[in-house]
Structure formats: C-alpha cells, structure tokens
Amino acid sequence: MLKRDNLPLGIVLGMFTPVFAFFLYYLLMFMPKHVSLDEFITLIVGNRQMLPKLISICLLLNGLVFYFYTRSRKDITAKGIFLVTMLYAITIIFLKLLHG
C-alpha cells in the first residue's frame, strides 16, 4: 500500500506521521521522566506557547517521509504530504499569532 503513488495516501501519511511523532516524542522525552501521557497532554494544554513548538518538532518526521517519497519518485504522494504539512504550518502560524 505504501508503494502506491496517489494523493489520498499522501494526505493520510501527512496527517498521521506528526501524530506518530507526537507519541514518539512523548516516549523519548517524557516517559523516561515518569510523566504519564495524561500529564503530558495537560502540560501542553496548560502551556499554550509549547503547542506550536511541539507541532513543529513533530513536522520534522513529515519532512523525512516527504524526502523518501520524492527520492522514490512518488511525486503525487509527496504532493499530498506537502499539502498537509503546509496546513500544519498555517496552524502553527495562527497559534503563534493568537498566543503571542
């Protein structure tokens, strides 16, 4: 399935790769400090300035997936990943504008 070259696959990958990166970030950075996932989410919700930074970190994995799809000449899938990445970027900008 991941070898196909289509836009819906790129959109799905673009949406869920940052979610996977979010949990990976939690597992690597906060779980060793014995912070539960619930406490981590409460920390993010309570500290609104942390949210755009965390989304930006999670988008790094999207860049890696985009790179692999462009290298394998799956350009239509890469377009879907890029489209969703830009939507995440717009969200980050709005969050930064709202919360200073």
Side-chain angles (χ1 to χ4, degrees):
M1 178 182 155
L2 296 176
K3 294 184 179 185
R4 296 174 56 196
D5 188 24
N6 61 28
L7 192 62
L9 175 61
I11 291 171
V12 168
L13 282 172
M15 287 182 353
F16 290 113
T17 301
V19 174
F20 173 75
F22 172 82
F23 288 110
L24 187 64
Y25 181 77
Y26 163 73
L27 287 173
L28 294 174
M29 301 303 290
F30 285 87
M31 194 172 180
K33 297 176 183 173
H34 305 290
V35 176
S36 71
L37 183 60
D38 187 41
E39 291 171 333
F40 177 60
I41 292 173
T42 303
L43 175 70
I44 293 168
V45 171
N47 185 357
R48 297 282 183 174
Q49 295 173 348
M50 186 176 173
L51 187 60
K53 295 173 187 176
L54 182 60
I55 295 171
S56 299
I57 290 169
C58 293
L59 281 181
L60 292 175
L61 194 58
N62 243 13
L64 187 64
V65 173
F66 176 78
Y67 171 76
F68 284 126
Y69 272 90
T70 55
R71 292 286 293 169
S72 63
R73 302 303 233 174
K74 305 282 192 262
D75 294 333
I76 298 171
T77 304
K79 284 180 188 178
I81 296 167
F82 183 74
L83 171 72
V84 175
T85 302
M86 290 300 106
L87 292 175
Y88 272 114
I90 292 169
T91 302
I92 291 168
I93 292 169
F94 280 130
L95 287 171
K96 284 193 166 273
L97 289 175
L98 289 176
H99 302 292

